[in-house]
Amino acid sequence: MEMLGAIGDDGIRRHLGEVHERIRAAAERAQRPPDSVALLAVSKTHGAEAVRAAYAAGQRAFGESYVQEAIEKIPLLADLPDIEWHFIGRIQANKTRQIAARFDWVHGLSDPAHARRLSEQRPSDLPALKVCIQVNVSGETTKGGVEPDAVAGMIAVCEALPGLDVRGLMTLPAPAEDEDAQRVPFRALRLLRDRLATPNHPLVCLSMGMSDDLEAAILEGATLVRVGTAVFGPRPYNAG
């Protein structure tokens, strides 16, 4: 966990610059300001020193998928002000207490029982946990997420819980060959958000797009893209 990895801190800095340029170019195509798209650097399986190098290069938001790895890594970086931790993995009921205590955001919430546990277990001295509802826009039976017609009900459950702050929607669609095909599920999520958003709950966050399809996601309205490999390089072979 302490190894920086093959690309080193200069490589991470260079990769971050390349990803930001991709974001800028895609936002320009979409006629959107570049700062309307945030970058979540997915640091799962990469050690604390890789995160520290990305932080030194200006990155502040980091995504983790494995609770045990994260709770070992996060304390090693507690000296970094304004670092932000996002849980992007599949939620397990026996891990909700650690998630509620350690993270600022959760991107894959799709179970009302998990929502209730996260709210109850959120420490009272911390602000409400920011959450995105995961939506299964592709209808894949192997993927998690709420079916589109059940999202309004899931939002209502979460909005009634004091420990949660619903910020938007998230999806992880099936891979597609070309940009036009990639855009279809992202467009579906944006249109769903537009139907469900209200002045009191604008659902401003659209968490969608990764290393291979971030351009398509930005063209369809992504406000946050989740990028790991393009920032940190390939995952370590011995990563669990």
Side-chain angles (χ1 to χ4, degrees):
M1 286 288 295
E2 292 305 307
M3 297 300 292
L4 181 55
I7 67 171
D9 54 355
D10 288 341
I12 289 174
R13 181 181 297 274
R14 184 178 69 255
H15 285 188
L16 275 170
E18 292 167 354
V19 171
H20 280 294
E21 175 56 28
R22 289 176 63 189
I23 291 172
R24 186 205 63 76
E28 184 176 283
R29 286 177 61 196
Q31 299 183 313
R32 300 173 57 194
D35 62 3
S36 67
V37 185
L39 171 62
L40 177 63
V42 178
S43 48
K44 65 178 182 181
T45 76
H46 297 280
E49 292 310 309
V51 175
R52 194 173 289 276
Y55 181 96
Q59 181 63 28
R60 292 295 180 268
F62 296 90
E64 295 285 328
S65 294
Y66 309 116
V67 172
Q68 188 57 44
E69 176 191 341
I71 63 176
E72 294 172 4
K73 185 186 303 181
I74 290 171
L76 300 176
L77 299 158
D79 60 303
L80 301 181
D82 67 2
I83 194 169
E84 190 174 82
W85 294 103
H86 296 234
F87 186 75
I88 60 172
R90 184 164 293 207
I91 299 170
Q92 296 174 287
N94 64 346
K95 299 292 178 62
T96 55
R97 187 174 299 278
Q98 293 106 315
I99 294 170
R102 297 284 188 170
F103 287 86
D104 305 293
W105 283 73
V106 170
H107 285 251
L109 188 58
S110 60
D111 184 326
H114 291 164
R116 294 185 185 98
R117 289 174 67 92
L118 288 170
S119 178
E120 292 167 0
Q121 295 168 344
R122 183 69 169 171
S124 59
D125 60 331
L126 295 178
L129 185 64
K130 299 178 180 69
V131 299
C132 287
I133 306 302
Q134 183 174 355
V135 185
N136 187 346
V137 293
S138 301
E140 295 176 89
T141 57
T142 58
K143 288 278 179 67
V146 180
E147 295 301 316
D149 61 1
V151 175
M154 184 65 187
I155 291 173
V157 168
C158 294
E159 286 177 343
L161 298 171
L164 302 185
D165 176 10
V166 181
R167 301 306 295 269
L169 306 179
M170 171 267 200
T171 196
L172 183 64
E177 288 292 325
D178 58 69
E179 187 177 273
D180 286 344
Q182 290 172 344
R183 291 179 68 168
V184 172
F186 297 142
R187 184 180 308 124
L189 191 74
R190 172 173 53 83
L191 293 173
L192 178 64
R193 187 279 308 275
D194 291 348
R195 290 198 300 272
L196 296 176
T198 67
N200 288 335
H201 300 285
L203 303 176
V204 293
C205 184
L206 283 178
S207 172
M208 58 188 195
M210 300 190 295
S211 293
D212 293 335
D213 57 10
L214 68 86
E215 285 85 0
I218 291 169
L219 289 170
E220 292 298 340
T223 65
L224 181 147
V225 292
R226 309 180 303 270
V227 179
T229 301
V231 171
F232 294 107
R235 295 179 193 166
Y237 287 114
N238 62 346

